[in-house]
Amino acid sequence: MSLGPGDEDLIKVAALQRQRAHAPYSKYRVGAAIRTKRNKVHAGANVENASYGLTVCAERTAAFAAVNAGDKEFDAIAIVIDDDRLPTPCGACRQVLAEFSPTMRVILATTGGLRKATTLRELLPDPFLPENLT
Ligand code: THU
């Protein structure tokens, strides 16, 4: 899958947000930006803690910012790191995103210019969804 209109802008927002990462332990700074169906953008960076297990990934920070703004239908997420390989969202973040938009697009990027577009369906083919509870 190739990048679509607006994807580079979303990557720019994620790259800027990455500068807000609090990652003194891993030094692995991640930025994420979600564009919603209402065409709003919500960004997040990873926030680590001296009690390591309390760390929250960039993707979940962005998702929770969107939900807290009352904006729950996601169109795409851009995830940016500064590395020579592309990022890949962790399993927990895939599941959290699937709660809201199981077929959303996922744009993976590096500050150096690597790009890959995929879908959450491809990354998490069989998510546990709200309808599983009914
Ligand atoms: N991290 C993210 O923010 N997103 C990912 O997709 C993978 C991991 C963060 C968590 C932690 O702060 C650091 O990267 C190393 O695991």
Side-chain angles (χ1 to χ4, degrees), residues 97-116:
L97 292 170
E99 171 78 11
F100 303 102
S101 300
T103 63
M104 69 189 291
R105 296 173 65 251
V106 179
I107 316 300
L108 307 170
T110 68
T111 53
L114 295 180
R115 304 283 185 262
K116 183 182 173 184

Side-chain angles (χ1 to χ4, degrees), residues 35-40 71 73-76 101 103-104:
R35 187 177 55 236
T36 64
K37 302 266 185 225
R38 285 156 55 188
N39 213 26
K40 301 278 178 226
D71 208 4
E73 289 182 85
F74 306 163
D75 177 39
S101 300
T103 63
M104 69 189 291

Side-chain angles (χ1 to χ4, degrees), residues 21-32 44-49 52 55-61 79-81 87-91 93-94 108:
H22 177 72
Y25 310 107
S26 74
K27 320 271 192 225
Y28 188 82
R29 299 157 70 82
V30 186
N46 53 330
V47 181
E48 298 185 347
N49 193 277
Y52 299 159
T55 292
V56 183
C57 295
E59 297 88 329
R60 269 176 290 158
T61 306
I79 306 165
V80 177
I81 58 172
T88 183
C90 80
C93 288
R94 293 177 196 202
L108 307 170

